[in-house]
Amino acid sequence: MYPYKNLLVPLNLTTTDEAAIRFSSQISLTSKSENAYFIHVKRPSEIPQQILDEYPQLLVPSEEERKQKMQSQVEVGWFESPDTNVVFQIEAGTPLEVLLEHIVKKDIDLVVIGRKTEAKDTRRLPINLARKAPCSVLVVPENSKHTISNILVPIDFSEFALNALEQAVNLAFANNISTIQCVNVFQLPIGYYKTGKSQEEFQELMKKNAIKDYERFVKKIDLKGVEVNPIFLHHDKPAQAIQSVVENNKVDLLVLGTRGRNAGAGLLLGSVTEDIILNTRIPLMAVKKKGTGLSLLEVLLKHL
């Protein structure tokens, strides 16, 4: 199992936390995590103190009340692991900034965060974490089941896809899953018709080339006895193609590589990955090699 020694699980004290808690519990058991940090970030009150003094009923739940709710939520969904130390923390500030700071300070290996299925405005934090965190991020839509049985890895034969496939293999091995699937979505080059070949002929040519690339690609990692079944699809919109594979094959976990390259003020997230995070209804792990972009993030945090 990939060594997820330190887990970070942000809680917003709503029903979106439930699936994330169960999923993080399963990961802590299979990877024998050392620490699981449950963190709730409270935003500073925008109500003037004079108004609060006059109308104390406007006060939000106290820190002690919040902590009790965190503990009760975890008590229901967390399967006790003798190897994992569970820590509860409440911090004030902007969620993204607070979480990034904790990821760096606590040497986090994996963030497990829940999100609402419908409300798009609640999906920005998972996307921003996947973009900027120097570690992998697991996004768990509410009501997701916590068990893993069918893993899908979109691949483009890059180093980032290789990292994703390796982590998917480790997850499958740890959960006694004998087979996983990967999908390569290819597009026809502009001007293919100038070769004199029809669309069908050039599509077959691209598929044969993708199969050869896959055979070289998969030899680069230790599959640990896990069988990988490749799927090759021609589609102009990769995100839609991946979603169709998810639906048609009853996939319950997507594992995607994120590019995480330095660019100005942050780290870039592939448009396909971002589209899927926004729209998928199953858990998605955005895989990033630990430490990617860490130096840039440390500089940014010093100026916050």
Side-chain angles (χ1 to χ4, degrees), residues 1 4-11 17-33 35-38 73-74 77-81 84 86 110-114 138-140 144-148 283 285:
M1 178 66 181
Y4 298 124
K5 292 182 180 179
N6 296 312
L7 304 178
L8 179 69
V9 188
L11 301 179
D17 296 334
E18 296 171 4
I21 291 170
R22 292 192 181 96
F23 224 107
S24 61
S25 174
Q26 182 67 21
I27 288 174
S28 76
L29 285 168
T30 55
S31 63
K32 297 183 179 179
S33 302
N35 297 291
Y37 299 97
F38 292 92
Q73 281 184 317
V74 172
W78 183 263
F79 308 118
E80 194 68 34
S81 171
T84 307
V86 175
L110 179 67
V111 179
V112 184
I113 182 169
L138 175 60
V139 182
V140 186
S144 298
K145 63 178 184 177
H146 64 271
T147 54
I148 305 171
M285 181 179 288

Side-chain angles (χ1 to χ4, degrees), residues 4 27 29 36-37 40 44 54 78 91 129 137 143 165-166 171 236 262 285:
Y4 298 124
I27 288 174
L29 285 168
Y37 299 97
H40 171 67
E54 187 172 352
W78 183 263
E91 302 286 348
L129 279 174
V137 176
N143 301 319
L165 183 58
E166 186 173 26
L171 284 166
D236 291 332
N262 290 346
M285 181 179 288

Side-chain angles (χ1 to χ4, degrees), residues 224-259:
K224 301 182 177 180
V226 175
E227 182 181 351
V228 181
N229 290 335
I231 300 170
F232 303 95
L233 288 178
H234 166 240
H235 204 290
D236 291 332
K237 297 181 179 180
Q240 287 185 13
I242 292 167
Q243 291 284 23
S244 69
V245 175
V246 168
E247 294 168 6
N248 294 333
N249 292 270
K250 297 182 179 179
V251 173
D252 52 32
L253 176 65
L254 265 171
V255 181
L256 293 88
T258 60
R259 298 192 176 278

